[in-house]
């Protein structure tokens, strides 16, 4: 059972994260300091660093939550599903349940706004891509375990994760520049791009009509 002390620590962390995301998305990442965040919550800078390694860590914390949720969803998919189908259904489930994952901290709209901050801030985008590469390794091991394979000798799990991650990266980039920043738009774009994956890899290319 969670203790009172643990609940208090969790509330403090969520308060710091909530304020950080609000400041990053309204004032800008570069113009927000650790002191700004700590002062707004009414704690010391030292307290901030008990929960986050720095501004970058706080800025990417929500993304880390959703990635962890996605990996757990892939791990929990029925074993009879082909690997790509497991990835596809897990990522769509992630968009469908996003409210449950992030709204204990911030509204979904604020989370989506933070996506755009990451995309437009070079230092955050570099860190996001680095963390994405680390998540790909975890996902590779999860898929290999599901299929009873050794990723050190069988390249298929790593190849599939690389292709899937590429699709998701293109989706994030297009969504962040299209102008329609809703969750529904992100989900629809994810579906559209995943449906194009097979034909793009194996079929002849025809003029593309956006749906």
């Amino acid at each position: 059972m969670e203790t009172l002390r643990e609940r208090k620590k969790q509330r403090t962390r969520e308060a710091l994260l909530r304020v950080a995301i609000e400041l990053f998305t309204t004032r800008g990442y570069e113009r927000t300091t650790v002191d700004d965040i700590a002062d707004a919550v009414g704690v010391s800078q030292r307290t901030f660093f008990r929960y986050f390694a720095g501004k970058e860590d706080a800025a990417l914390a929500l993304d880390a939550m959703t990635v962890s949720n996605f990996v757990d969803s892939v791990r929990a998919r029925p074993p009879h599903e082909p690997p790509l189908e497991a990835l596809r259904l897990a990522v769509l489930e992630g968009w469908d349940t996003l409210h449950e994952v992030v709204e204990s901290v911030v509204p979904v709209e604020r989370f989506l706004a933070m996506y755009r901050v990451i995309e437009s801030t070079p230092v955050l985008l570099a860190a996001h891509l680095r963390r994405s590469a680390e998540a790909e390794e975890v996902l590779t091991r999860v898929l290999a375990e599901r299929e009873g394979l050794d990723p050190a000798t069988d390249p298929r799990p790593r190849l599939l994760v690389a292709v899937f991650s590429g699709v998701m990266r293109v989706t994030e980039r297009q969504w962040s520049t299209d102008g329609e920043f809703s969750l529904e738009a992100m989900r629809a774009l994810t579906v559209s791009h995943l449906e194009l994956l097979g034909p793009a890899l194996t079929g002849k290319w025809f003029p593309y009509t956006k749906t």
Side-chain angles (χ1 to χ4, degrees):
M1 181 179 295
E2 191 177 42
T3 67
L4 179 62
R5 177 180 174 82
E6 289 168 341
R7 289 196 298 271
K8 183 178 179 181
K9 289 174 65 176
Q10 181 64 21
R11 286 196 297 270
T12 301
R13 185 183 188 279
E14 289 179 354
L16 286 165
L17 182 53
R18 186 178 303 112
V19 167
I21 297 302
E22 181 176 350
L23 291 176
F24 294 152
T25 55
T26 56
R27 181 184 299 180
Y29 178 77
E30 298 294 350
R31 291 190 294 275
T32 300
T33 67
V34 168
D35 283 338
D36 292 333
I37 299 167
D39 289 346
V41 178
V43 299
S44 66
Q45 184 186 91
R46 181 179 178 182
T47 296
F48 175 91
F49 285 116
R50 287 188 191 135
Y51 296 94
F52 301 102
K55 281 201 314 177
E56 178 186 296
D57 192 29
L60 298 174
L62 289 178
D63 185 58
M65 288 168 58
T66 60
V67 169
S68 177
N69 186 65
F70 168 62
V71 171
D72 288 343
S73 295
V74 174
R75 189 179 283 114
R77 295 304 309 173
H80 68 269
E81 290 178 353
L84 180 56
E85 183 71 355
L87 292 174
R88 185 183 75 84
L89 292 175
V91 78
L92 294 182
E93 179 184 321
W95 290 128
D96 292 338
T97 60
L98 185 63
H99 293 79
E100 301 169 19
V101 177
V102 303
E103 283 203 336
S104 64
V105 182
V106 297
V108 166
E109 293 73 21
R110 188 70 71 183
F111 167 81
L112 296 176
M114 192 63 217
Y115 243 113
R116 301 199 298 277
V117 173
I118 292 170
E119 286 287 331
S120 62
T121 308
V123 65
L124 288 182
L125 182 57
H128 171 62
L129 294 177
R130 184 182 68 248
R131 291 188 179 204
S132 295
E134 295 168 355
E136 287 177 22
E137 285 301 307
V138 175
L139 198 53
T140 294
R141 293 194 295 271
V142 169
L143 285 185
E145 183 179 340
R146 274 176 52 92
E147 300 301 312
L149 305 174
D150 181 356
T153 57
D154 191 324
R156 288 175 295 177
R158 185 164 279 107
L159 285 172
L160 177 59
V161 169
V163 171
F164 182 83
S165 296
V167 172
M168 295 310 301
R169 179 71 196 120
V170 170
T171 300
E172 290 176 359
R173 187 180 303 156
Q174 183 172 333
W175 175 84
S176 69
T177 58
D178 268 357
E180 187 179 350
F181 302 128
S182 68
L183 178 59
E184 293 74 18
M186 173 66 101
R187 190 190 190 285
L189 199 58
T190 301
V191 171
S192 174
H193 284 177
L194 288 173
E195 288 177 348
L196 287 172
L197 179 57
L201 292 176
T202 62
K204 181 175 175 59
W205 290 9
F206 296 96
Y208 172 63
T209 301
K210 184 175 179 181
T211 56

